[in-house]
Amino acid sequence: MNDPVIEPFGPLTHESAPLRNKIMKSLRRAIETGLLEPGTRLVEKDLCQQLNVSRTSLREALRQLQSEGILTDLNNRGLAVVTVTSEDAENIYRIRGVLEPLIVEQFIENAPDAEVEALKAHFLRLKEAYLHGNAEEIVASKRDFYDRICTGARNPIAFGVLSKLTVLTSPLRRRSVVRPERRIQSIAEIEKIVTSIAKRDKAAAKAAAEEHVAHSARSALHASESAN
C-alpha cells in the first residue's frame, strides 16, 4: 500500500506582532482610563486614523482583544467594549484575591534586591497619584506598579491574566478610587504589601495582598451599586 501523498506546507505569513501588541496596549489603556466606556462601539475607520495604523493590523489586535473577552461582537455590526455584570465583577475580584497573593509571593522568591528597591520607589509615585492625581492617573500608576510586581515574579502567565481582569473592572475601579477614604486606605494597604516584600516576609505579604483585594472589591462593588 502506497504512503499517502503529503502536500507541502504553504508559505507562512508574517504577522506584525509588535505593532499588534502596541495597538492592543493602546486600546486597553483607553478602556482603563474611560476613553472607551463599556458598550462603546469601535469604528475601524476612526481607530485607524487616530492610531495611524492599517486596517489589517487593527483587525489583528481587535480579534485578540475579542478572544480575551474584552471586546464583544454586536451581531455582525462590529465590536464593542464588553459590559461586565455585577456577578462577573464579583468573580473577577475573587480570582484576583487568589492571584495577587501568589504574584507577591513569587516576587519575594524571584526578584533581586535591586527590583525590591525599584518597587519601593514606584510605590512612592503611586502614593503621590493617590494623594494628588485623578482617577485615570491612579489607575495608570497602579497598573504600572503591578506590572513591576508581575515582572519581578517571573510569571508572565499571571501578568496576562491580571491585565485582563483589571481592564474588565476598570469602570468600577475608577469610581472607587475617587472616594477620599478609599484613597487613604489603599495607600496604607499597599504600603503594607511593599514593607512585607522588603522584609522578604511571604506570609505577611500574601495576607496584605489578600486584604487589599478584599477591600478593593468591597469598595468597587459598593460604588457600582451606588451608581445604579
Side-chain angles (χ1 to χ4, degrees):
M1 186 175 185
N2 294 330
D3 293 333
V5 176
I6 300 177
E7 294 293 334
F9 291 108
L12 295 176
T13 57
H14 297 278
E15 293 187 359
S16 53
L19 178 57
R20 180 188 62 197
N21 292 341
K22 289 179 181 179
I23 297 171
M24 289 168 58
K25 183 177 180 179
S26 180
L27 292 174
R28 283 195 183 100
R29 183 161 297 192
I31 295 170
E32 279 187 318
T33 59
L35 184 62
L36 293 175
E37 292 282 2
T40 300
R41 180 174 173 269
L42 304 183
V43 180
E44 289 186 2
K45 180 180 178 181
D46 293 345
L47 289 175
C48 287
Q49 292 176 344
Q50 292 166 9
L51 297 171
N52 193 29
V53 296
S54 69
R55 183 160 290 191
T56 298
S57 296
L58 176 66
R59 284 178 174 173
E60 290 174 2
L62 294 179
R63 282 197 296 268
Q64 180 61 35
L65 292 175
Q66 183 183 12
S67 72
E68 294 177 8
I70 295 172
L71 301 180
T72 186
D73 182 64
L74 294 174
N75 296 322
N76 296 320
R77 291 186 296 108
L79 297 174
V81 180
V82 73
T83 300
V84 174
T85 67
S86 58
E87 183 179 2
D88 288 338
E90 290 179 14
N91 286 331
I92 286 171
Y93 277 103
R94 292 189 69 176
I95 295 170
R96 282 183 55 191
V98 175
L99 186 59
E100 292 185 26
L102 170 64
I103 296 171
V104 166
E105 179 181 33
Q106 290 182 317
F107 183 94
I108 293 173
E109 293 172 349
N110 298 316
D113 291 343
E115 290 189 34
V116 174
E117 292 303 313
L119 184 69
K120 289 162 66 176
H122 201 95
F123 165 68
L124 296 179
R125 293 194 289 274
L126 176 57
K127 181 178 180 180
E128 184 69 15
Y130 269 116
L131 290 174
H132 305 294
N134 57 31
E136 288 73 22
E137 291 168 336
I138 294 171
V139 169
S141 184
K142 193 170 183 184
R143 180 195 59 245
D144 292 342
F145 176 79
Y146 274 99
D147 285 358
R148 188 172 292 276
I149 290 182
C150 290
T151 300
R154 310 299 191 261
N155 190 339
I157 295 175
F159 175 80
V161 173
L162 186 59
S163 296
K164 172 186 173 181
L165 297 179
T166 53
V167 168
L168 288 172
T169 55
S170 54
L172 300 180
R173 295 168 65 217
R174 288 197 307 274
R175 285 197 289 267
S176 173
V177 298
V178 297
R179 300 168 58 196
E181 67 276 13
R182 182 57 197 151
R183 293 188 184 211
I184 299 303
Q185 290 170 354
S186 293
I187 291 171
E189 292 163 8
I190 297 171
E191 185 170 23
K192 190 183 296 184
I193 294 172
V194 174
T195 299
S196 300
I197 287 175
K199 294 178 180 178
R200 303 283 182 176
D201 187 337
K202 291 183 185 179
K206 290 176 67 178
E210 289 174 358
E211 178 185 51
H212 177 60
V213 175
H215 290 173
S216 296
R218 191 175 303 123
S219 176
L221 296 173
H222 173 73
S224 175
E225 292 172 358
S226 300
N228 295 331

